[in-house]
Amino acid sequence: MVLTKEYRICMPLTTEEYRIGQLYMIARHSHEQSDNDEGVEVVENIECDHPEHGKGQFTEKRIHLSSKLPYWVQSIIPRIFYVTEKAWNYYPFTITGTLVLLFILRLKQCLGLSPIELIHREIDFVDIAYDELSAKHYKEEEDPKFFQSQRTGRGPLVEGWKNITQPIMCSYKLVHASFEVWGMQTRVEDFIHRCIRDILLLGHRQAFAWIDEWYDMTLEDVRQYEQKMQAETNEKVRLKNQNERPMTPLTPTSSVPSSPLPKSPTNRSWFSWS
């Protein structure tokens, strides 16, 4: 049985602001994370086309994770470990495909569920202001309960903010997690969803807390910033890994899918920021 959760994340932004803020956050967050033991290496970031959704952006990343995994996971994987994520972003619709050895997950920013899938999915409301964030990621200046934007006047987000804040929008992330190994399936699938939730919570808090940095950016501006951050991040990751020989995991097909990740083993995935 695949563990499916639908994450709903309200943001004090318009949908167009969210597009810019999300791209800025992903680029900056990846760059900051590369200062630690691991990092996100961008292999390719180019425009692409979809027959139904039109023009979009294709991104391929290597997410180096070895030291971030719990010991019980590290015991069953190689010492040098990364996952490959491939994402097709046709905003506001995204398709992501990533294969992580035996860890299998699909994330889509769309619904389109069958009646049976709708019944079995779990809905998880993520509150960027009042859900608990791990201490290692907490920064008071990025806490929506205290942050106030100098450029927009938005914030701090008080109790019940989702009922009184304008503008407001909601991002829907549908995650299918499957780990079909007897004796470990439930534990690993729960672990994957905890990781996904932590990533979504931290990233969306940062997207709001950094609003004064990206608020006046156009899509072209944020793409230029993204390229600059990616180049710097790749150099950091390259220097850290130049003396190590990474294993090469299987990856999903690089061609643009005609529909959101068909339910086949070759197009399953880990997670997506996109």
Side-chain angles (χ1 to χ4, degrees):
M1 177 66 71
V2 174
L3 181 56
T4 299
K5 290 190 178 184
E6 176 189 316
Y7 296 94
R8 298 182 181 180
I9 313 162
C10 286
M11 295 290 288
L13 308 172
T14 67
T15 54
E16 281 307 307
E17 289 171 349
Y18 181 72
R19 182 181 193 181
I20 302 298
Q22 182 177 229
L23 291 172
Y24 177 90
M25 176 271 293
I26 293 168
R28 179 171 167 181
H29 177 90
S30 298
H31 186 264
E32 290 186 356
Q33 288 299 301
S34 68
D35 289 329
N36 301 323
D37 292 337
E38 309 292 347
V40 180
E41 176 186 3
V42 178
V43 179
E44 191 171 16
N45 187 5
I46 59 174
E47 290 186 355
C48 60
D49 290 285
H50 189 283
E52 180 181 352
H53 303 297
K55 290 189 177 298
Q57 196 79 8
F58 168 74
T59 308
E60 179 178 346
K61 301 175 182 176
R62 289 178 181 173
I63 305 165
H64 298 264
L65 292 170
S66 300
S67 66
K68 294 186 181 293
L69 299 174
Y71 291 120
W72 61 270
V73 174
Q74 292 184 34
S75 66
I76 62 173
I77 66 170
R79 184 177 64 86
I80 307 301
F81 177 73
Y82 65 80
V83 305
T84 297
E85 174 193 288
K86 296 187 178 183
W88 294 262
N89 188 346
Y90 309 98
Y91 188 82
F93 182 93
T94 63
I95 305 169
T96 302
T98 313
L99 188 62
V100 191
L101 295 180
L102 296 176
F103 301 102
I104 298 169
L105 180 143
R106 285 197 307 276
L107 187 149
K108 294 181 287 181
Q109 196 170 316
C110 64
L111 295 180
L113 294 176
S114 68
I116 294 178
E117 289 174 319
L118 284 170
I119 292 173
H120 289 288
R121 86 197 189 289
E122 298 179 23
I123 298 176
D124 189 335
F125 294 91
V126 178
D127 189 325
I128 65 169
Y130 290 89
D131 283 358
E132 185 176 355
L133 185 70
S134 63
K136 66 181 179 180
H137 292 308
Y138 181 82
K139 296 180 181 178
E140 184 173 337
E141 64 270 23
E142 295 177 358
D143 190 334
K145 294 193 299 295
F146 306 118
F147 169 78
Q148 183 172 39
S149 167
Q150 298 299 309
R151 306 186 72 177
T152 68
R154 300 176 201 174
L157 301 183
V158 300
E159 287 278 4
W161 68 272
K162 287 181 282 187
N163 297 320
I164 59 176
T165 299
Q166 290 294 332
I168 193 164
M169 51 83 65
C170 186
S171 175
Y172 295 80
K173 311 282 188 181
L174 184 66
V175 179
H176 304 282
S178 176
F179 186 81
E180 298 172 1
V181 176
W182 186 85
M184 296 188 70
Q185 181 170 2
T186 299
R187 186 180 185 186
V188 172
E189 290 177 357
D190 285 341
F191 167 73
I192 291 173
H193 273 289
R194 288 198 304 271
C195 292
I196 293 296
R197 198 184 198 284
D198 288 347
I199 290 167
L200 293 175
L201 177 59
L202 175 60
H204 285 76
R205 284 166 64 101
Q206 290 175 328
F208 174 55
W210 294 340
I211 188 172
D212 289 345
E213 305 296 327
W214 57 258
Y215 184 68
D216 287 334
M217 284 187 171
T218 64
L219 185 58
E220 181 180 354
D221 292 335
V222 79
R223 287 298 184 195
Q224 291 177 354
Y225 175 81
E226 187 179 50
Q227 291 174 3
K228 178 178 180 291
M229 288 294 100
Q230 287 171 359
E232 293 180 7
T233 302
N234 284 359
E235 181 62 15
K236 287 184 180 182
V237 174
R238 185 189 67 79
L239 291 174
K240 289 178 180 179
N241 293 284
Q242 61 184 352
N243 295 322
E244 297 176 337
R245 173 187 256 175
M247 60 166 291
T248 304
L250 297 174
T251 63
T253 175
S254 60
S255 60
V256 178
S258 58
S259 61
L261 290 179
K263 297 178 182 178
S264 65
T266 57
N267 278 326
R268 295 172 173 174
S269 68
W270 175 255
F271 71 87
S272 171
W273 282 113
S274 302

